[in-house]
PDB file of all heavy atoms in Angstrom:
ATOM      1  N   TRP E 459     105.646  87.213  92.027  1.00  0.00           N
ATOM      2  CA  TRP E 459     105.404  87.338  93.448  1.00  0.00           C
ATOM      3  C   TRP E 459     105.498  88.801  93.836  1.00  0.00           C
ATOM      4  O   TRP E 459     106.445  89.497  93.441  1.00  0.00           O
ATOM      5  CB  TRP E 459     106.403  86.522  94.270  1.00  0.00           C
ATOM      6  CG  TRP E 459     106.205  85.048  94.168  1.00  0.00           C
ATOM      7  CD1 TRP E 459     106.835  84.186  93.334  1.00  0.00           C
ATOM      8  CD2 TRP E 459     105.300  84.268  94.949  1.00  0.00           C
ATOM      9  NE1 TRP E 459     106.381  82.902  93.530  1.00  0.00           N
ATOM     10  CE2 TRP E 459     105.435  82.924  94.524  1.00  0.00           C
ATOM     11  CE3 TRP E 459     104.393  84.553  95.963  1.00  0.00           C
ATOM     12  CZ2 TRP E 459     104.696  81.877  95.077  1.00  0.00           C
ATOM     13  CZ3 TRP E 459     103.658  83.514  96.515  1.00  0.00           C
ATOM     14  CH2 TRP E 459     103.818  82.206  96.062  1.00  0.00           C
ATOM     15  N   HIS E 460     104.513  89.250  94.562  1.00  0.00           N
ATOM     16  CA  HIS E 460     104.505  90.577  95.154  1.00  0.00           C
ATOM     17  C   HIS E 460     104.429  90.432  96.661  1.00  0.00           C
ATOM     18  O   HIS E 460     104.075  89.372  97.173  1.00  0.00           O
ATOM     19  CB  HIS E 460     103.313  91.399  94.664  1.00  0.00           C
ATOM     20  CG  HIS E 460     103.283  91.641  93.189  1.00  0.00           C
ATOM     21  ND1 HIS E 460     103.001  90.655  92.271  1.00  0.00           N
ATOM     22  CD2 HIS E 460     103.480  92.784  92.477  1.00  0.00           C
ATOM     23  CE1 HIS E 460     103.024  91.162  91.053  1.00  0.00           C
ATOM     24  NE2 HIS E 460     103.311  92.451  91.155  1.00  0.00           N
ATOM     25  N   ARG E 461     104.732  91.490  97.358  1.00  0.00           N
ATOM     26  CA  ARG E 461     104.577  91.465  98.801  1.00  0.00           C
ATOM     27  C   ARG E 461     104.125  92.822  99.303  1.00  0.00           C
ATOM     28  O   ARG E 461     104.363  93.850  98.665  1.00  0.00           O
ATOM     29  CB  ARG E 461     105.873  91.049  99.505  1.00  0.00           C
ATOM     30  CG  ARG E 461     107.008  92.059  99.401  1.00  0.00           C
ATOM     31  CD  ARG E 461     108.274  91.488 100.009  1.00  0.00           C
ATOM     32  NE  ARG E 461     109.379  92.435  99.956  1.00  0.00           N
ATOM     33  CZ  ARG E 461     110.628  92.147 100.296  1.00  0.00           C
ATOM     34  NH1 ARG E 461     110.935  90.929 100.730  1.00  0.00           N
ATOM     35  NH2 ARG E 461     111.569  93.083 100.216  1.00  0.00           N
ATOM     36  N   GLN E 462     103.482  92.792 100.442  1.00  0.00           N
ATOM     37  CA  GLN E 462     103.030  94.018 101.065  1.00  0.00           C
ATOM     38  C   GLN E 462     103.262  93.929 102.561  1.00  0.00           C
ATOM     39  O   GLN E 462     102.693  93.069 103.234  1.00  0.00           O
ATOM     40  CB  GLN E 462     101.554  94.280 100.773  1.00  0.00           C
ATOM     41  CG  GLN E 462     101.073  95.631 101.258  1.00  0.00           C
ATOM     42  CD  GLN E 462      99.723  96.002 100.691  1.00  0.00           C
ATOM     43  OE1 GLN E 462      98.948  95.124 100.307  1.00  0.00           O
ATOM     44  NE2 GLN E 462      99.447  97.293 100.626  1.00  0.00           N
ATOM     45  N   ALA E 463     104.104  94.803 103.045  1.00  0.00           N
ATOM     46  CA  ALA E 463     104.367  94.895 104.468  1.00  0.00           C
ATOM     47  C   ALA E 463     103.402  95.892 105.091  1.00  0.00           C
ATOM     48  O   ALA E 463     102.870  96.769 104.400  1.00  0.00           O
ATOM     49  CB  ALA E 463     105.811  95.324 104.708  1.00  0.00           C
ATOM     50  N   PRO E 464     103.162  95.782 106.381  1.00  0.00           N
ATOM     51  CA  PRO E 464     102.246  96.710 107.043  1.00  0.00           C
ATOM     52  C   PRO E 464     102.649  98.159 106.820  1.00  0.00           C
ATOM     53  O   PRO E 464     103.809  98.530 107.008  1.00  0.00           O
ATOM     54  CB  PRO E 464     102.358  96.326 108.520  1.00  0.00           C
ATOM     55  CG  PRO E 464     102.765  94.892 108.498  1.00  0.00           C
ATOM     56  CD  PRO E 464     103.678  94.763 107.323  1.00  0.00           C
ATOM     57  N   GLY E 465     101.690  98.966 106.401  1.00  0.00           N
ATOM     58  CA  GLY E 465     101.937 100.376 106.196  1.00  0.00           C
ATOM     59  C   GLY E 465     102.701 100.723 104.938  1.00  0.00           C
ATOM     60  O   GLY E 465     103.048 101.888 104.741  1.00  0.00           O
ATOM     61  N   LYS E 466     102.956  99.754 104.100  1.00  0.00           N
ATOM     62  CA  LYS E 466     103.720  99.997 102.890  1.00  0.00           C
ATOM     63  C   LYS E 466     102.927  99.607 101.651  1.00  0.00           C
ATOM     64  O   LYS E 466     101.953  98.857 101.720  1.00  0.00           O
ATOM     65  CB  LYS E 466     105.041  99.223 102.923  1.00  0.00           C
ATOM     66  CG  LYS E 466     105.995  99.660 104.010  1.00  0.00           C
ATOM     67  CD  LYS E 466     107.327  98.948 103.898  1.00  0.00           C
ATOM     68  CE  LYS E 466     108.311  99.435 104.937  1.00  0.00           C
ATOM     69  NZ  LYS E 466     109.621  98.733 104.822  1.00  0.00           N
ATOM     70  N   GLN E 467     103.370 100.127 100.529  1.00  0.00           N
ATOM     71  CA  GLN E 467     102.765  99.783  99.253  1.00  0.00           C
ATOM     72  C   GLN E 467     103.154  98.368  98.851  1.00  0.00           C
ATOM     73  O   GLN E 467     104.225  97.874  99.211  1.00  0.00           O
ATOM     74  CB  GLN E 467     103.209 100.758  98.163  1.00  0.00           C
ATOM     75  CG  GLN E 467     102.801 102.200  98.393  1.00  0.00           C
ATOM     76  CD  GLN E 467     101.362 102.451  98.022  1.00  0.00           C
ATOM     77  OE1 GLN E 467     100.752 101.664  97.289  1.00  0.00           O
ATOM     78  NE2 GLN E 467     100.806 103.537  98.511  1.00  0.00           N
ATOM     79  N   ARG E 468     102.275  97.742  98.108  1.00  0.00           N
ATOM     80  CA  ARG E 468     102.611  96.446  97.550  1.00  0.00           C
ATOM     81  C   ARG E 468     103.721  96.619  96.518  1.00  0.00           C
ATOM     82  O   ARG E 468     103.693  97.549  95.708  1.00  0.00           O
ATOM     83  CB  ARG E 468     101.380  95.801  96.914  1.00  0.00           C
ATOM     84  CG  ARG E 468     101.608  94.384  96.443  1.00  0.00           C
ATOM     85  CD  ARG E 468     100.319  93.729  95.953  1.00  0.00           C
ATOM     86  NE  ARG E 468      99.311  93.645  97.001  1.00  0.00           N
ATOM     87  CZ  ARG E 468      98.164  92.987  96.890  1.00  0.00           C
ATOM     88  NH1 ARG E 468      97.884  92.341  95.768  1.00  0.00           N
ATOM     89  NH2 ARG E 468      97.299  92.976  97.887  1.00  0.00           N
ATOM     90  N   GLU E 469     104.688  95.742  96.568  1.00  0.00           N
ATOM     91  CA  GLU E 469     105.812  95.837  95.659  1.00  0.00           C
ATOM     92  C   GLU E 469     106.051  94.526  94.935  1.00  0.00           C
ATOM     93  O   GLU E 469     105.775  93.446  95.459  1.00  0.00           O
ATOM     94  CB  GLU E 469     107.094  96.241  96.408  1.00  0.00           C
ATOM     95  CG  GLU E 469     107.569  95.212  97.418  1.00  0.00           C
ATOM     96  CD  GLU E 469     108.923  95.543  98.013  1.00  0.00           C
ATOM     97  OE1 GLU E 469     109.689  96.310  97.400  1.00  0.00           O
ATOM     98  OE2 GLU E 469     109.226  95.021  99.110  1.00  0.00           O
ATOM     99  N   LEU E 470     106.566  94.644  93.744  1.00  0.00           N
ATOM    100  CA  LEU E 470     106.952  93.473  92.982  1.00  0.00           C
ATOM    101  C   LEU E 470     108.239  92.912  93.548  1.00  0.00           C
ATOM    102  O   LEU E 470     109.228  93.630  93.707  1.00  0.00           O
ATOM    103  CB  LEU E 470     107.135  93.833  91.509  1.00  0.00           C
ATOM    104  CG  LEU E 470     107.616  92.713  90.586  1.00  0.00           C
ATOM    105  CD1 LEU E 470     106.571  91.617  90.473  1.00  0.00           C
ATOM    106  CD2 LEU E 470     107.953  93.272  89.208  1.00  0.00           C
ATOM    107  N   VAL E 471     108.236  91.632  93.837  1.00  0.00           N
ATOM    108  CA  VAL E 471     109.405  90.955  94.371  1.00  0.00           C
ATOM    109  C   VAL E 471     110.184  90.260  93.271  1.00  0.00           C
ATOM    110  O   VAL E 471     111.404  90.392  93.169  1.00  0.00           O
ATOM    111  CB  VAL E 471     109.006  89.936  95.455  1.00  0.00           C
ATOM    112  CG1 VAL E 471     110.224  89.150  95.940  1.00  0.00           C
ATOM    113  CG2 VAL E 471     108.333  90.643  96.623  1.00  0.00           C
ATOM    114  N   ALA E 472     109.483  89.502  92.456  1.00  0.00           N
ATOM    115  CA  ALA E 472     110.122  88.741  91.394  1.00  0.00           C
ATOM    116  C   ALA E 472     109.099  88.404  90.336  1.00  0.00           C
ATOM    117  O   ALA E 472     107.921  88.214  90.630  1.00  0.00           O
ATOM    118  CB  ALA E 472     110.755  87.460  91.937  1.00  0.00           C
ATOM    119  N   VAL E 473     109.544  88.329  89.107  1.00  0.00           N
ATOM    120  CA  VAL E 473     108.677  87.980  87.995  1.00  0.00           C
ATOM    121  C   VAL E 473     109.416  87.019  87.079  1.00  0.00           C
ATOM    122  O   VAL E 473     110.640  87.110  86.917  1.00  0.00           O
ATOM    123  CB  VAL E 473     108.215  89.240  87.223  1.00  0.00           C
ATOM    124  CG1 VAL E 473     109.408  90.006  86.665  1.00  0.00           C
ATOM    125  CG2 VAL E 473     107.233  88.874  86.116  1.00  0.00           C
ATOM    126  N   ILE E 474     108.672  86.113  86.505  1.00  0.00           N
ATOM    127  CA  ILE E 474     109.237  85.173  85.544  1.00  0.00           C
ATOM    128  C   ILE E 474     108.313  85.104  84.345  1.00  0.00           C
ATOM    129  O   ILE E 474     107.096  84.963  84.480  1.00  0.00           O
ATOM    130  CB  ILE E 474     109.470  83.785  86.175  1.00  0.00           C
ATOM    131  CG1 ILE E 474     110.133  82.837  85.171  1.00  0.00           C
ATOM    132  CG2 ILE E 474     108.176  83.197  86.730  1.00  0.00           C
ATOM    133  CD1 ILE E 474     110.673  81.567  85.822  1.00  0.00           C
ATOM    134  N   SER E 475     108.871  85.234  83.169  1.00  0.00           N
ATOM    135  CA  SER E 475     108.086  85.215  81.951  1.00  0.00           C
ATOM    136  C   SER E 475     107.816  83.790  81.510  1.00  0.00           C
ATOM    137  O   SER E 475     108.361  82.825  82.047  1.00  0.00           O
ATOM    138  CB  SER E 475     108.816  85.980  80.844  1.00  0.00           C
ATOM    139  OG  SER E 475     109.919  85.227  80.360  1.00  0.00           O
ATOM    140  N   SER E 476     106.964  83.673  80.503  1.00  0.00           N
ATOM    141  CA  SER E 476     106.687  82.354  79.953  1.00  0.00           C
ATOM    142  C   SER E 476     107.935  81.712  79.374  1.00  0.00           C
ATOM    143  O   SER E 476     108.032  80.474  79.324  1.00  0.00           O
ATOM    144  CB  SER E 476     105.599  82.446  78.880  1.00  0.00           C
ATOM    145  OG  SER E 476     106.002  83.288  77.813  1.00  0.00           O
ATOM    146  N   GLY E 477     108.870  82.536  78.936  1.00  0.00           N
ATOM    147  CA  GLY E 477     110.117  82.041  78.405  1.00  0.00           C
ATOM    148  C   GLY E 477     111.189  81.782  79.445  1.00  0.00           C
ATOM    149  O   GLY E 477     112.285  81.335  79.101  1.00  0.00           O
ATOM    150  N   GLY E 478     110.881  82.081  80.698  1.00  0.00           N
ATOM    151  CA  GLY E 478     111.808  81.788  81.772  1.00  0.00           C
ATOM    152  C   GLY E 478     112.727  82.922  82.180  1.00  0.00           C
ATOM    153  O   GLY E 478     113.585  82.732  83.047  1.00  0.00           O
ATOM    154  N   THR E 479     112.565  84.079  81.570  1.00  0.00           N
ATOM    155  CA  THR E 479     113.379  85.211  81.992  1.00  0.00           C
ATOM    156  C   THR E 479     112.866  85.745  83.320  1.00  0.00           C
ATOM    157  O   THR E 479     111.661  85.763  83.570  1.00  0.00           O
ATOM    158  CB  THR E 479     113.381  86.321  80.940  1.00  0.00           C
ATOM    159  OG1 THR E 479     112.036  86.758  80.697  1.00  0.00           O
ATOM    160  CG2 THR E 479     113.979  85.823  79.643  1.00  0.00           C
ATOM    161  N   THR E 480     113.770  86.178  84.154  1.00  0.00           N
ATOM    162  CA  THR E 480     113.414  86.601  85.497  1.00  0.00           C
ATOM    163  C   THR E 480     113.898  88.008  85.787  1.00  0.00           C
ATOM    164  O   THR E 480     114.835  88.509  85.166  1.00  0.00           O
ATOM    165  CB  THR E 480     114.003  85.650  86.549  1.00  0.00           C
ATOM    166  OG1 THR E 480     115.436  85.635  86.433  1.00  0.00           O
ATOM    167  CG2 THR E 480     113.478  84.241  86.353  1.00  0.00           C
ATOM    168  N   ASN E 481     113.244  88.614  86.746  1.00  0.00           N
ATOM    169  CA  ASN E 481     113.659  89.909  87.244  1.00  0.00           C
ATOM    170  C   ASN E 481     113.315  89.968  88.719  1.00  0.00           C
ATOM    171  O   ASN E 481     112.304  89.402  89.146  1.00  0.00           O
ATOM    172  CB  ASN E 481     112.980  91.040  86.484  1.00  0.00           C
ATOM    173  CG  ASN E 481     113.628  92.380  86.742  1.00  0.00           C
ATOM    174  OD1 ASN E 481     114.831  92.458  86.987  1.00  0.00           O
ATOM    175  ND2 ASN E 481     112.838  93.444  86.682  1.00  0.00           N
ATOM    176  N   TYR E 482     114.146  90.664  89.487  1.00  0.00           N
ATOM    177  CA  TYR E 482     113.986  90.720  90.927  1.00  0.00           C
ATOM    178  C   TYR E 482     114.102  92.141  91.430  1.00  0.00           C
ATOM    179  O   TYR E 482     114.819  92.966  90.862  1.00  0.00           O
ATOM    180  CB  TYR E 482     115.058  89.885  91.627  1.00  0.00           C
ATOM    181  CG  TYR E 482     115.045  88.422  91.286  1.00  0.00           C
ATOM    182  CD1 TYR E 482     115.785  87.923  90.220  1.00  0.00           C
ATOM    183  CD2 TYR E 482     114.283  87.527  92.038  1.00  0.00           C
ATOM    184  CE1 TYR E 482     115.779  86.583  89.910  1.00  0.00           C
ATOM    185  CE2 TYR E 482     114.271  86.185  91.731  1.00  0.00           C
ATOM    186  CZ  TYR E 482     115.019  85.716  90.668  1.00  0.00           C
ATOM    187  OH  TYR E 482     115.008  84.374  90.362  1.00  0.00           O
ATOM    188  N   ALA E 483     113.405  92.394  92.513  1.00  0.00           N
ATOM    189  CA  ALA E 483     113.644  93.629  93.231  1.00  0.00           C
ATOM    190  C   ALA E 483     115.065  93.621  93.773  1.00  0.00           C
ATOM    191  O   ALA E 483     115.593  92.573  94.161  1.00  0.00           O
ATOM    192  CB  ALA E 483     112.650  93.778  94.378  1.00  0.00           C
TER     193      ALA E 483
END
């Protein structure tokens, strides 16, 4: 999941791998 607020760059919010590992902003 990524997000983009008005006037800001798109940023990575959270990622999950095929193996289920996760990372968050």
